[in-house]
Every structure is written in structure tokens, then in C-alpha cells.
Coordinates of all heavy atoms in Angstrom, one line a residue:
M10 N -37.3 -11.6 7.8 CA -36.1 -12.5 8.1 C -34.8 -11.6 8.0 O -34.6 -10.9 7.0 CB -36.1 -13.6 7.1 CG -34.9 -14.6 7.3 SD -35.0 -15.9 6.1 CE -33.3 -16.2 5.9
T11 N -33.9 -11.8 8.9 CA -32.7 -11.1 8.9 C -31.7 -11.8 8.0 O -31.6 -13.0 8.0 CB -32.1 -11.1 10.4 OG1 -33.0 -10.6 11.2 CG2 -30.8 -10.3 10.4
K12 N -31.0 -11.0 7.2 CA -30.0 -11.6 6.3 C -28.8 -12.0 7.2 O -28.4 -11.2 8.1 CB -29.6 -10.6 5.2 CG -30.7 -10.3 4.3 CD -30.3 -10.0 3.0 CE -31.5 -9.9 2.1 NZ -31.2 -10.2 0.7
Q13 N -28.1 -13.1 6.9 CA -27.0 -13.6 7.7 C -25.8 -13.9 6.8 O -26.0 -14.2 5.6 CB -27.5 -14.8 8.4 CG -28.6 -14.6 9.3 CD -29.1 -15.9 10.0 OE1 -29.0 -17.0 9.4 NE2 -29.6 -15.9 11.2
I14 N -24.7 -13.9 7.5 CA -23.5 -14.5 6.9 C -23.0 -15.5 7.9 O -23.0 -15.3 9.1 CB -22.4 -13.4 6.6 CG1 -21.2 -14.1 5.9 CG2 -22.0 -12.7 7.8 CD1 -20.4 -13.1 5.1
H15 N -22.6 -16.7 7.3 CA -22.2 -17.8 8.2 C -20.7 -18.1 8.0 O -20.2 -18.1 6.9 CB -23.0 -19.1 7.7 CG -24.5 -18.9 7.9 ND1 -25.1 -19.4 9.0 CD2 -25.4 -18.4 7.1 CE1 -26.4 -19.1 8.9 NE2 -26.6 -18.5 7.7
T16 N -20.1 -18.3 9.1 CA -18.7 -18.8 9.2 C -18.7 -20.3 9.4 O -19.2 -20.7 10.5 CB -17.9 -18.0 10.3 OG1 -17.9 -16.6 10.0 CG2 -16.4 -18.5 10.3
M17 N -18.2 -21.1 8.5 CA -18.3 -22.5 8.6 C -17.0 -23.2 8.2 O -16.2 -22.6 7.5 CB -19.5 -23.0 7.6 CG -20.8 -22.4 8.0 SD -22.1 -22.8 6.8 CE -22.4 -24.5 7.4
F18 N -16.9 -24.5 8.5 CA -15.7 -25.3 8.2 C -16.0 -26.2 7.0 O -17.1 -26.8 7.0 CB -15.3 -26.1 9.4 CG -14.1 -26.9 9.3 CD1 -12.9 -26.2 9.2 CD2 -14.1 -28.2 9.2 CE1 -11.7 -26.9 9.1 CE2 -12.9 -29.0 9.0 CZ -11.7 -28.3 9.0
N19 N -15.1 -26.3 6.1 CA -15.2 -27.2 4.9 C -14.3 -28.4 5.3 O -13.1 -28.3 5.3 CB -14.7 -26.5 3.7 CG -14.8 -27.3 2.4 OD1 -14.8 -28.5 2.5 ND2 -14.9 -26.6 1.3
K20 N -14.9 -29.5 5.5 CA -14.2 -30.7 5.8 C -13.3 -31.3 4.7 O -12.3 -31.9 4.9 CB -15.2 -31.8 6.2 CG -15.9 -31.5 7.5 CD -16.9 -32.6 7.9 CE -17.7 -32.2 9.1 NZ -18.7 -33.2 9.4
N21 N -13.7 -31.0 3.4 CA -13.0 -31.5 2.3 C -11.6 -30.8 2.2 O -10.6 -31.4 1.9 CB -13.7 -31.4 1.0 CG -15.0 -32.2 1.0 OD1 -15.0 -33.3 1.6 ND2 -16.0 -31.7 0.3
S22 N -11.6 -29.5 2.3 CA -10.4 -28.7 2.1 C -9.7 -28.4 3.5 O -8.6 -27.8 3.5 CB -10.6 -27.5 1.4 OG -11.5 -26.6 2.1
E23 N -10.4 -28.7 4.6 CA -9.8 -28.4 5.9 C -9.6 -26.9 6.1 O -8.6 -26.5 6.7 CB -8.5 -29.2 6.2 CG -8.7 -30.7 6.3 CD -9.4 -31.2 7.6 OE1 -9.0 -30.6 8.6 OE2 -10.2 -32.1 7.5
T24 N -10.5 -26.1 5.6 CA -10.4 -24.6 5.7 C -11.7 -24.1 6.1 O -12.8 -24.7 6.0 CB -9.9 -24.0 4.4 OG1 -10.9 -24.3 3.4 CG2 -8.5 -24.4 4.0
W25 N -11.7 -22.8 6.6 CA -12.9 -22.1 7.0 C -13.3 -21.1 5.9 O -12.5 -20.7 5.1 CB -12.6 -21.3 8.3 CG -12.4 -22.2 9.5 CD1 -11.2 -22.7 9.9 CD2 -13.4 -22.6 10.4 NE1 -11.5 -23.5 11.0 CE2 -12.8 -23.4 11.3 CE3 -14.8 -22.4 10.5 CZ2 -13.5 -24.0 12.4 CZ3 -15.5 -23.0 11.5 CH2 -14.8 -23.8 12.5
Y26 N -14.6 -20.9 5.8 CA -15.1 -19.9 4.8 C -16.4 -19.2 5.3 O -16.9 -19.5 6.4 CB -15.5 -20.7 3.5 CG -16.7 -21.7 3.7 CD1 -18.0 -21.3 3.4 CD2 -16.5 -22.9 4.2 CE1 -19.0 -22.1 3.5 CE2 -17.6 -23.8 4.3 CZ -18.8 -23.4 4.0 OH -19.9 -24.3 4.1
N27 N -16.7 -18.1 4.6 CA -17.9 -17.3 5.0 C -18.8 -17.3 3.8 O -18.4 -17.2 2.6 CB -17.5 -15.9 5.3 CG -16.7 -15.7 6.5 OD1 -17.2 -16.1 7.6 ND2 -15.5 -15.3 6.4
K28 N -20.1 -17.5 4.0 CA -21.1 -17.5 3.0 C -22.4 -16.8 3.4 O -22.9 -17.1 4.5 CB -21.4 -18.9 2.6 CG -22.4 -19.0 1.4 CD -22.6 -20.5 0.9 CE -23.5 -20.5 -0.3 NZ -23.8 -21.8 -0.7
K29 N -23.0 -15.9 2.6 CA -24.2 -15.2 2.9 C -25.4 -16.1 2.5 O -25.3 -17.0 1.6 CB -24.3 -13.9 2.1 CG -23.4 -12.9 2.6 CD -23.7 -11.5 2.0 CE -22.9 -11.3 0.8 NZ -23.1 -10.0 0.1
D30 N -26.5 -15.9 3.3 CA -27.7 -16.7 3.0 C -28.1 -16.4 1.5 O -28.1 -15.3 1.0 CB -28.9 -16.2 3.9 CG -28.8 -16.7 5.3 OD1 -28.1 -17.7 5.5 OD2 -29.4 -16.2 6.2
G31 N -28.5 -17.5 0.8 CA -29.0 -17.4 -0.5 C -28.0 -17.2 -1.6 O -28.3 -17.2 -2.8
A32 N -26.7 -17.1 -1.2 CA -25.7 -16.8 -2.2 C -25.3 -18.1 -2.9 O -25.2 -19.2 -2.2 CB -24.5 -16.1 -1.6
A33 N -25.0 -18.1 -4.2 CA -24.5 -19.3 -4.9 C -23.0 -19.6 -4.6 O -22.6 -20.7 -4.6 CB -24.7 -19.1 -6.4
R34 N -22.3 -18.5 -4.3 CA -20.9 -18.7 -4.1 C -20.5 -18.1 -2.7 O -21.2 -17.3 -2.1 CB -20.1 -17.9 -5.1 CG -20.3 -18.5 -6.5 CD -19.8 -17.6 -7.6 NE -18.5 -17.1 -7.4 CZ -17.9 -16.3 -8.3 NH1 -18.5 -16.0 -9.5 NH2 -16.7 -15.8 -8.1
V35 N -19.4 -18.6 -2.2 CA -18.9 -18.1 -0.9 C -18.4 -16.7 -1.0 O -18.0 -16.2 -2.0 CB -17.8 -19.0 -0.3 CG1 -18.4 -20.4 0.0 CG2 -16.6 -19.1 -1.1
S36 N -18.5 -16.0 0.1 CA -18.0 -14.6 0.2 C -16.5 -14.5 0.4 O -15.9 -13.6 -0.2 CB -18.7 -13.8 1.3 OG -20.1 -13.8 1.2
S37 N -16.0 -15.4 1.2 CA -14.5 -15.4 1.4 C -14.2 -16.8 1.9 O -15.0 -17.5 2.5 CB -14.1 -14.4 2.4 OG -14.8 -14.5 3.6
S38 N -13.0 -17.3 1.5 CA -12.7 -18.7 1.8 C -11.2 -18.9 2.0 O -10.4 -18.0 1.7 CB -13.2 -19.7 0.8 OG -12.6 -19.4 -0.4
G39 N -10.8 -20.1 2.3 CA -9.4 -20.5 2.4 C -8.7 -20.1 3.7 O -7.5 -20.1 3.8
F40 N -9.5 -19.8 4.8 CA -8.9 -19.5 6.0 C -8.4 -20.7 6.8 O -9.2 -21.7 6.9 CB -9.9 -18.7 6.9 CG -10.4 -17.4 6.3 CD1 -11.6 -17.4 5.7 CD2 -9.6 -16.3 6.2 CE1 -12.1 -16.2 5.1 CE2 -10.0 -15.1 5.6 CZ -11.3 -15.1 5.0
K41 N -7.2 -20.7 7.2 CA -6.6 -21.8 8.0 C -7.1 -21.9 9.4 O -7.2 -23.0 10.0 CB -5.1 -21.8 7.9 CG -4.6 -22.0 6.5 CD -3.1 -22.1 6.5 CE -2.6 -22.1 5.1 NZ -2.2 -23.4 4.6
T42 N -7.5 -20.8 10.0 CA -8.0 -20.8 11.4 C -9.4 -20.2 11.4 O -9.8 -19.4 10.6 CB -7.1 -20.0 12.3 OG1 -7.2 -18.6 12.0 CG2 -5.7 -20.5 12.3
Q43 N -10.1 -20.6 12.4 CA -11.5 -20.1 12.6 C -11.4 -18.6 12.9 O -12.3 -17.8 12.4 CB -12.2 -20.8 13.7 CG -13.7 -20.4 13.8 CD -14.4 -21.2 15.0 OE1 -13.8 -21.4 16.0 NE2 -15.6 -21.5 14.7
L44 N -10.4 -18.2 13.7 CA -10.3 -16.8 14.0 C -10.2 -15.9 12.8 O -10.8 -14.8 12.7 CB -9.1 -16.6 15.0 CG -8.9 -15.1 15.4 CD1 -10.1 -14.6 16.2 CD2 -7.7 -15.0 16.3
E45 N -9.4 -16.3 11.8 CA -9.2 -15.5 10.6 C -10.6 -15.4 9.9 O -10.9 -14.3 9.4 CB -8.2 -16.2 9.7 CG -6.8 -16.1 10.2 CD -5.9 -17.0 9.3 OE1 -6.3 -18.0 8.7 OE2 -4.7 -16.6 9.1
A46 N -11.3 -16.5 9.8 CA -12.6 -16.5 9.1 C -13.6 -15.6 9.9 O -14.4 -14.9 9.3 CB -13.1 -17.9 9.0
I47 N -13.6 -15.7 11.2 CA -14.5 -14.9 12.0 C -14.2 -13.4 11.8 O -15.2 -12.6 11.7 CB -14.4 -15.2 13.5 CG1 -14.9 -16.6 13.8 CG2 -15.0 -14.2 14.4 CD1 -14.7 -17.2 15.2
I48 N -13.0 -13.0 11.8 CA -12.7 -11.6 11.6 C -13.2 -11.1 10.2 O -13.8 -10.0 10.1 CB -11.1 -11.3 11.7 CG1 -10.7 -11.5 13.2 CG2 -10.7 -10.0 11.2 CD1 -9.2 -11.6 13.4
S49 N -12.9 -11.9 9.2 CA -13.4 -11.6 7.9 C -14.9 -11.5 7.8 O -15.5 -10.6 7.3 CB -12.9 -12.6 6.8 OG -13.4 -12.4 5.6
G50 N -15.6 -12.5 8.4 CA -17.1 -12.5 8.5 C -17.6 -11.4 9.2 O -18.7 -10.8 8.8
R51 N -17.0 -11.0 10.3 CA -17.5 -9.8 11.1 C -17.4 -8.6 10.3 O -18.2 -7.7 10.3 CB -16.6 -9.7 12.4 CG -17.1 -8.6 13.3 CD -16.4 -8.3 14.6 NE -15.9 -9.6 15.2 CZ -14.6 -9.8 15.5 NH1 -13.7 -8.8 15.3 NH2 -14.3 -10.9 16.1
N52 N -16.3 -8.4 9.6 CA -16.1 -7.2 8.7 C -17.2 -7.1 7.7 O -17.7 -6.0 7.4 CB -14.7 -7.2 8.1 CG -13.6 -6.9 9.1 OD1 -13.8 -6.3 10.1 ND2 -12.4 -7.4 8.8
I53 N -17.5 -8.2 7.0 CA -18.6 -8.3 6.0 C -19.9 -7.9 6.7 O -20.7 -7.1 6.2 CB -18.6 -9.6 5.3 CG1 -17.3 -9.9 4.5 CG2 -19.8 -9.7 4.4 CD1 -17.2 -11.3 4.0
A54 N -20.2 -8.5 7.8 CA -21.4 -8.3 8.5 C -21.6 -6.8 8.9 O -22.6 -6.2 8.8 CB -21.5 -9.2 9.8
C55 N -20.5 -6.2 9.5 CA -20.6 -4.8 9.9 C -20.8 -3.9 8.7 O -21.6 -3.0 8.7 CB -19.3 -4.4 10.6 SG -19.1 -5.1 12.2
N56 N -20.1 -4.2 7.6 CA -20.2 -3.3 6.4 C -21.6 -3.4 5.7 O -22.0 -2.5 5.1 CB -19.1 -3.7 5.4 CG -17.7 -3.3 5.8 OD1 -17.6 -2.4 6.6 ND2 -16.7 -3.9 5.3
Q57 N -22.2 -4.6 5.8 CA -23.5 -4.8 5.1 C -24.7 -4.9 6.0 O -25.8 -5.1 5.6 CB -23.4 -6.1 4.2 CG -22.3 -6.0 3.2 CD -22.2 -7.2 2.3 OE1 -23.1 -8.0 2.3 NE2 -21.1 -7.3 1.6
G58 N -24.5 -4.7 7.3 CA -25.6 -4.7 8.3 C -26.2 -6.1 8.4 O -27.4 -6.2 8.5
L59 N -25.4 -7.1 8.5 CA -25.9 -8.5 8.5 C -25.8 -9.1 9.9 O -25.1 -8.5 10.8 CB -25.1 -9.4 7.6 CG -25.1 -9.0 6.1 CD1 -24.1 -9.9 5.3 CD2 -26.5 -9.0 5.5
E60 N -26.4 -10.2 10.1 CA -26.2 -11.0 11.4 C -25.1 -12.0 11.1 O -25.1 -12.7 10.0 CB -27.5 -11.7 11.8 CG -27.3 -12.5 13.1 CD -28.6 -13.1 13.5 OE1 -29.4 -13.6 12.7 OE2 -28.9 -13.0 14.7
H61 N -24.1 -12.1 11.9 CA -23.0 -13.0 11.8 C -23.2 -14.3 12.6 O -23.3 -14.2 13.8 CB -21.7 -12.3 12.2 CG -20.5 -13.1 11.9 ND1 -19.3 -12.9 12.6 CD2 -20.2 -14.1 11.0 CE1 -18.4 -13.7 12.1 NE2 -18.9 -14.5 11.2
V62 N -23.3 -15.4 11.9 CA -23.5 -16.7 12.6 C -22.2 -17.5 12.5 O -21.8 -17.8 11.4 CB -24.7 -17.5 11.9 CG1 -24.9 -18.8 12.6 CG2 -25.9 -16.6 11.9
I63 N -21.7 -17.9 13.6 CA -20.4 -18.7 13.7 C -20.8 -20.1 14.1 O -21.5 -20.4 15.1 CB -19.5 -18.1 14.7 CG1 -19.2 -16.6 14.4 CG2 -18.2 -18.9 14.8 CD1 -18.6 -15.8 15.5
H64 N -20.3 -21.1 13.2 CA -20.6 -22.5 13.5 C -19.4 -23.2 14.1 O -18.3 -22.8 13.9 CB -21.0 -23.1 12.1 CG -22.2 -22.6 11.5 ND1 -23.4 -23.2 11.7 CD2 -22.5 -21.5 10.8 CE1 -24.4 -22.6 11.1 NE2 -23.8 -21.5 10.5
R65 N -19.7 -24.3 14.7 CA -18.6 -25.1 15.3 C -18.0 -25.9 14.2 O -18.6 -26.2 13.2 CB -19.2 -26.1 16.4 CG -19.8 -25.3 17.6 CD -20.5 -26.3 18.5 NE -19.6 -27.4 18.9 CZ -19.0 -27.4 20.1 NH1 -19.2 -26.4 20.9 NH2 -18.2 -28.4 20.4
R66 N -16.7 -26.3 14.4 CA -16.0 -27.1 13.5 C -16.5 -28.5 13.4 O -16.6 -29.1 12.3 CB -14.5 -27.1 13.9 CG -13.7 -28.0 12.9 CD -12.2 -28.1 13.4 NE -11.5 -29.1 12.6 CZ -10.4 -28.8 12.1 NH1 -9.8 -27.7 12.3 NH2 -9.8 -29.7 11.3
D67 N -16.7 -29.2 14.5 CA -17.0 -30.6 14.5 C -18.4 -31.0 14.0 O -18.5 -32.0 13.3 CB -16.8 -31.2 15.9 CG -17.5 -30.4 17.0 OD1 -18.1 -29.4 16.7 OD2 -17.4 -30.8 18.2
N68 N -19.4 -30.2 14.2 CA -20.7 -30.6 13.8 C -21.6 -29.5 13.2 O -22.7 -29.7 12.9 CB -21.5 -31.2 15.0 CG -21.6 -30.3 16.2 OD1 -21.3 -29.1 16.0 ND2 -21.9 -30.8 17.3
N69 N -20.9 -28.4 12.9 CA -21.6 -27.2 12.3 C -22.8 -26.7 13.0 O -23.6 -25.9 12.4 CB -21.9 -27.5 10.8 CG -21.0 -26.9 9.9 OD1 -20.2 -26.1 10.2 ND2 -21.0 -27.4 8.6
L70 N -22.9 -27.0 14.3 CA -24.0 -26.4 15.1 C -23.6 -24.9 15.3 O -22.4 -24.6 15.3 CB -24.2 -27.1 16.4 CG -24.7 -28.5 16.4 CD1 -24.7 -29.1 17.8 CD2 -26.1 -28.5 15.8
I71 N -24.6 -24.1 15.6 CA -24.3 -22.7 15.8 C -23.6 -22.5 17.2 O -24.1 -23.0 18.2 CB -25.6 -21.9 15.8 CG1 -26.1 -21.9 14.3 CG2 -25.3 -20.4 16.2 CD1 -27.5 -21.3 14.2
R72 N -22.5 -21.8 17.1 CA -21.7 -21.5 18.3 C -22.0 -20.2 18.9 O -22.1 -19.9 20.1 CB -20.2 -21.6 17.9 CG -19.3 -21.4 19.1 CD -17.8 -21.3 18.6 NE -17.3 -20.0 18.8 CZ -16.1 -19.6 18.6 NH1 -15.3 -20.5 18.1 NH2 -15.7 -18.4 18.8
E73 N -22.3 -19.2 18.0 CA -22.5 -17.8 18.4 C -23.1 -17.0 17.3 O -23.0 -17.3 16.1 CB -21.1 -17.2 18.7 CG -21.0 -15.8 19.2 CD -19.6 -15.4 19.4 OE1 -18.7 -16.2 19.6 OE2 -19.4 -14.2 19.4
K74 N -24.0 -16.0 17.7 CA -24.6 -15.1 16.7 C -24.3 -13.7 17.2 O -24.5 -13.4 18.4 CB -26.1 -15.4 16.7 CG -26.6 -16.5 15.9 CD -28.1 -16.5 15.8 CE -28.6 -17.6 15.0 NZ -30.1 -17.6 14.9
N75 N -24.1 -12.8 16.2 CA -23.9 -11.4 16.5 C -24.6 -10.6 15.4 O -24.4 -10.9 14.3 CB -22.4 -11.0 16.5 CG -21.7 -11.7 17.6 OD1 -22.0 -11.5 18.8 ND2 -20.7 -12.6 17.3
S76 N -25.4 -9.6 15.8 CA -26.1 -8.8 14.9 C -25.5 -7.5 14.7 O -25.2 -6.8 15.7 CB -27.6 -8.7 15.4 OG -28.3 -7.9 14.4
Y77 N -25.3 -7.1 13.5 CA -24.7 -5.8 13.1 C -25.6 -5.0 12.3 O -25.3 -4.0 11.7 CB -23.4 -6.0 12.4 CG -22.4 -6.7 13.2 CD1 -22.1 -8.1 13.0 CD2 -21.7 -6.1 14.2 CE1 -21.2 -8.8 13.8 CE2 -20.8 -6.8 15.0 CZ -20.6 -8.1 14.8 OH -19.7 -8.8 15.6
G78 N -26.9 -5.4 12.3 CA -27.9 -4.6 11.5 C -28.6 -3.6 12.4 O -28.1 -3.2 13.4
K79 N -29.8 -3.2 12.0 CA -30.6 -2.2 12.7 C -31.6 -2.8 13.6 O -32.8 -2.9 13.3 CB -31.2 -1.3 11.7 CG -30.3 -0.5 10.8 CD -30.9 0.4 9.8 CE -29.8 1.1 9.0 NZ -30.4 1.8 8.0
D80 N -31.1 -3.3 14.7 CA -32.0 -3.9 15.7 C -32.7 -2.8 16.5 O -32.1 -1.8 16.8 CB -31.2 -4.8 16.7 CG -30.7 -6.1 16.1 OD1 -31.3 -6.5 15.1 OD2 -29.8 -6.7 16.7
P81 N -34.0 -3.1 16.8 CA -34.7 -2.1 17.6 C -34.2 -2.1 19.1 O -33.9 -3.2 19.6 CB -36.1 -2.5 17.5 CG -36.1 -3.9 17.2 CD -34.8 -4.1 16.4
Y82 N -34.0 -1.0 19.7 CA -33.6 -0.9 21.1 C -34.5 0.0 21.8 O -34.5 1.2 21.3 CB -32.1 -0.5 21.2 CG -31.7 -0.6 22.7 CD1 -31.3 -1.9 23.2 CD2 -31.7 0.5 23.5 CE1 -31.0 -2.0 24.5 CE2 -31.3 0.4 24.8 CZ -31.0 -0.8 25.3 OH -30.6 -0.9 26.7
P83 N -35.1 -0.2 22.8 CA -35.2 -1.6 23.4 C -36.0 -2.6 22.5 O -36.8 -2.1 21.7 CB -35.9 -1.3 24.7 CG -36.7 -0.1 24.5 CD -36.0 0.7 23.5
P84 N -35.7 -3.8 22.6 CA -36.4 -4.8 21.8 C -37.9 -4.9 22.2 O -38.3 -4.6 23.3 CB -35.7 -6.2 22.2 CG -34.9 -5.9 23.3 CD -34.7 -4.4 23.5
K85 N -38.7 -5.1 21.1 CA -40.1 -5.2 21.3 C -40.5 -6.5 22.1 O -39.9 -7.6 21.8 CB -40.9 -5.2 20.0 CG -40.7 -3.9 19.3 CD -41.4 -3.9 18.0 CE -41.3 -2.6 17.3 NZ -41.9 -2.5 16.0
G86 N -41.5 -6.5 22.9 CA -42.0 -7.7 23.6 C -41.3 -8.0 24.8 O -40.9 -8.6 25.6

């Protein structure tokens, strides 16, 4: 399983945050715009070789995924 960091919206505080899979606490939070949170999440993903999963504001469905880990190229299969 690929480790991921998720950029998501907090409806209670009306802010965006980033959280890694399995983490008890968020990695970064308090972003007023999704773009700010995406940039922060991308930096974390690049530095730690994670997959970055960006969620939509309205229903938290996945909007986009980007992998910054060691993907095989060409892909198998």
C-alpha cells in the first residue's frame, strides 16, 4: 500500500488541512484556501515520497492524485 497525504476541508473551522494516512494528528492546517493547502501538501509529499490526494470541498470526494514516490517506469501490466 502506498502511503498518502490527504488535502481536505474542515467544515467546522472552514479551513483546509493536510493529514497523512494513519496519523493521529494533522500534518499542517489552518489554510484559508485550497491552493495554500495543496502547495503545503505537495511539499510534504515530495519530501517524504508520498502520494498526494486532493479532496473536493463540498463532498470530500477525490479530485486529484499525484504520486511523488518511487513508481516503476514503465508501469507493470
Side-chain angles (χ1 to χ4, degrees):
M10 181 176 148
T11 304
K12 296 210 176 206
Q13 300 175 327
I14 185 159
H15 298 264
T16 298
M17 302 176 75
F18 185 70
N19 183 335
K20 292 178 184 178
N21 295 328
S22 64
E23 295 285 321
T24 59
W25 290 88
Y26 66 95
N27 293 299
K28 185 175 181 185
K29 287 192 263 182
D30 281 343
R34 296 167 45 179
V35 298
S36 301
S37 56
S38 64
F40 300 103
K41 293 186 187 256
T42 67
Q43 187 181 36
L44 181 59
E45 292 172 326
I47 289 172
I48 291 169
S49 175
R51 183 182 324 129
N52 288 337
I53 294 168
C55 288
N56 290 335
Q57 297 181 15
L59 304 173
E60 183 175 42
H61 185 201
V62 182
I63 303 166
H64 295 263
R65 296 173 57 98
R66 176 187 175 129
D67 51 356
N68 54 15
N69 258 346
L70 292 176
I71 294 173
R72 182 184 114 177
E73 182 179 338
K74 281 186 179 183
N75 297 297
S76 181
Y77 299 100
K79 296 180 180 174
D80 285 340
Y82 187 80
K85 294 180 182 178

